[in-house]
Amino acid sequence: MKAKFIAITALASASISFNAQKLNYTPDLVAGHRYYTYMHNVNYYFNDRLKVNNLTLFDTEYTQDKENIFFIRNTVAYNITQKISVNAALGIKNPGAFFSAYFQYRIVKPVYSLSYSIGTTYQKGFSLEQSISFEYMPHLKENLQGYFSVLAIGNLDGSGYPRGLQFIRLGVKQDKMMYGIASNFDQFNNGKKTLENIGAFVKYNF
């Protein structure tokens, strides 16, 4: 119930008027067969090189709270070049607090974007964390684009593969809104525990 309250409160904040040059907010909602997901990215740009980011994610089951997932990460990012940045992050996720430091390589084009990150995360021990994100938005007709995105994150440590996730979105984009079908996949403890959620999503760029 706490996760539901936080998600609703965060979504309501979308009505705030933002300075588009410095602050942007992108919520992503999924209503799936097993649970609903609220995720957002908030970026504040101090200048062309320095920004802070908040990434928040809640997966909340409809009838039970046994498999709820939460992830909150606050990151400071500094652009070394137009494509490469160095990042330091503090946050909390199942099962507790963590710290990350990583490099990110990012390409942004009018119809697609690609980013790859690699670094270390400390949460009850160090792990190697890698992530890749890809978005593709081909033009279909006036005021309508296709929308396809993939986000994959994996952690490796001495025990193997303790945590991984993959988010897939397929739909259309109209102006600042995207909607369509979504799939979320989570793995824990070397794949001994897995969770899946398939449903519909809506995403908006404020």
Side-chain angles (χ1 to χ4, degrees):
M1 292 301 294
K2 184 183 293 185
K4 294 179 182 178
F5 174 78
I6 295 173
I8 293 170
T9 302
L11 183 60
S13 68
S15 61
I16 299 173
S17 177
F18 291 140
N19 182 336
Q21 292 184 342
K22 290 188 175 182
L23 187 67
N24 61 53
Y25 165 60
T26 305
D28 182 326
L29 291 172
V30 175
H33 74 285
R34 195 181 67 80
Y35 54 79
Y36 74 83
T37 301
Y38 169 81
M39 180 171 66
H40 76 228
N41 262 291
V42 179
N43 291 294
Y44 183 84
Y45 297 86
F46 292 97
N47 50 50
D48 291 340
R49 289 188 177 271
L50 183 64
K51 75 170 183 178
V52 292
N53 166 268
N54 171 260
L55 173 62
T56 297
L57 166 71
F58 291 104
D59 282 349
T60 304
E61 294 184 306
Y62 294 119
T63 58
Q64 304 181 56
D65 288 333
K66 292 182 179 180
E67 305 291 354
N68 288 350
I69 299 172
F70 62 90
F71 181 97
I72 302 171
R73 184 183 69 190
N74 296 299
T75 304
V76 177
Y78 182 79
N79 291 330
I80 301 172
T81 69
Q82 288 187 339
K83 296 181 179 179
I84 299 174
S85 65
V86 60
N87 302 261
L90 288 171
I92 185 169
K93 62 180 178 178
N94 309 76
F98 69 93
F99 168 78
S100 296
Y102 59 95
F103 288 94
Q104 183 181 68
Y105 179 80
R106 182 172 175 82
I107 300 172
V108 179
K109 299 293 183 180
V111 297
Y112 76 89
S113 66
L114 173 68
S115 69
Y116 170 74
S117 301
I118 185 169
T120 185
T121 293
Y122 180 82
Q123 186 185 41
K124 297 183 177 180
F126 286 98
S127 66
L128 174 69
E129 181 170 310
Q130 299 181 79
S131 70
I132 187 167
S133 175
F134 176 72
E135 283 190 322
Y136 179 53
M137 295 166 286
H139 177 77
L140 299 178
K141 62 179 183 179
E142 187 176 358
N143 298 322
L144 184 67
Q145 294 172 268
Y147 181 74
F148 173 71
S149 73
V150 176
L151 170 65
I153 302 174
N155 289 81
L156 298 173
D157 63 12
S159 68
Y161 180 61
R163 181 74 171 96
L165 64 83
Q166 302 83 38
F167 291 171
I168 302 171
R169 306 285 187 265
L170 178 63
V172 295
K173 180 177 185 292
Q174 292 180 296
D175 193 19
K176 296 182 178 182
M177 179 177 287
M178 292 138 280
Y179 54 90
I181 58 175
S183 299
N184 292 0
F185 305 97
D186 292 89
Q187 303 86 40
F188 304 86
N189 301 325
N190 296 313
K192 294 178 181 177
K193 177 181 177 181
T194 61
L195 298 173
E196 303 84 25
N197 193 43
I198 299 173
F201 83 93
V202 60
K203 182 177 180 179
Y204 195 90
N205 293 323
F206 285 92

